[in-house]
Amino acid sequence: MERLPAVSADVGHPVETSCTILDLNNVSLRSFYQVKNYLSEASAIGQNYYPECMGKFYIINAPYLFSTVWAFIKPWLDEVTVKKIQIISTGHKAVLTAQIDEANLPEEFGGTCRCPGGCSLSDAGPWQQHSTSAAQTSVEAPVEPAA
């Protein structure tokens, strides 16, 4: 089962978008080219292949000079995609917890979630339970007799 349908089943209402957090804490100026490439590619994938699924894209702990990098990236992105991206230099906890329940927000971003091995590398979520139960309860559809 895909993630959004599994999350929808888990919370009891349709969930149609995802939220991405890119933390630029301790990113040096040397790495800005890589960050620019990542942001360009991630945004392009979202706008070109999953335009309806890209919810919010938060860039947190953005250094002062990141606005220069953003100025280069922004013109190549669709205006709708640009509106979904929010750059936050400091004070990101209030913004993130307005969108994400603290229990689901990783501790390093101001939440209380502590996944074994770290939330960034975890694949924890209701899609794990749903994919297991779906595999266990799958039944072949009956075949209509030939007339």
Side-chain angles (χ1 to χ4, degrees):
M1 181 177 251
E2 294 180 33
R3 288 178 184 228
L4 294 179
V7 172
S8 297
D10 192 58
V11 297
H13 60 81
V15 176
E16 299 173 339
T17 61
S18 64
C19 178
T20 302
I21 301 171
L22 175 61
D23 187 1
L24 297 182
N25 191 29
N26 296 322
V27 173
S28 68
L29 287 176
R30 284 184 182 167
S31 303
F32 268 25
Y33 187 72
Q34 291 173 318
V35 170
K36 179 190 94 45
N37 287 345
Y38 172 79
L39 187 56
S40 294
E41 290 176 26
S43 300
I45 289 169
Q47 80 180 15
N48 296 336
Y49 298 102
Y50 307 100
E52 308 304 321
C53 295
M54 183 179 173
K56 293 295 270 179
F57 192 132
Y58 295 105
I59 301 170
I60 63 171
N61 297 314
Y64 173 73
L65 292 175
F66 184 75
S67 58
T68 304
V69 173
W70 180 239
F72 284 107
I73 297 169
K74 207 160 94 170
W76 289 310
L77 300 175
D78 181 70
E79 197 174 313
V80 174
T81 301
V82 170
K83 288 179 182 176
K84 294 178 181 183
I85 298 171
Q86 186 171 352
I87 300 169
I88 309 166
S89 295
T90 59
H92 61 267
K93 180 180 177 177
V95 175
L96 295 178
T97 55
Q99 172 87 26
I100 305 164
D101 186 279
E102 282 191 43
N104 296 321
L105 184 64
E107 192 174 50
E108 64 264 31
F109 301 149
T112 59
C113 187
R114 299 171 92 187
C115 298
C119 295
S120 295
L121 300 175
S122 175
D123 193 32
W127 49 87
Q128 295 293 346
Q129 299 156 358
H130 288 279
S131 65
T132 303
S133 62
Q136 291 172 348
T137 59
S138 65
V139 180
E140 289 186 33
V143 178
E144 293 282 326

